Amino acid sequence: MTAELPACSLCLSVLDGDHWVVAEQAIAGLRSFASPAPPRLGPGICDACADAIRRLRTRDVEAVAA
């Protein structure tokens, strides 16, 4: 069975345990290149991208309300 790793759909970082890391770091740490089947990437959004989206939405709502 192939593992599924959440990957941020915006910045492409990968959830490794409880930390989001750049894809290269995840590949090296998991040694996925040495596995017979690579891990599957599942949809996700990292904390930094989620925060950026929230800030943009808040700014847009405040601009419309003004």
Side-chain angles (χ1 to χ4, degrees):
M1 182 170 169
T2 304
E4 183 169 313
L5 299 171
C8 181
S9 300
L10 299 173
C11 70
L12 305 179
S13 59
V14 176
L15 187 59
D16 184 15
D18 59 352
H19 292 54
W20 290 92
V21 298
V22 295
E24 293 85 357
Q25 185 178 347
I27 291 167
L30 294 170
R31 298 188 46 81
S32 61
F33 52 85
S35 299
R40 294 176 50 106
L41 298 178
I45 186 163
C46 71
D47 301 330
C49 288
D51 289 343
I53 290 169
R54 275 190 221 95
R55 283 193 304 275
L56 287 171
R57 286 183 177 168
T58 300
R59 186 186 71 188
D60 289 345
V61 168
E62 289 171 354
V64 169

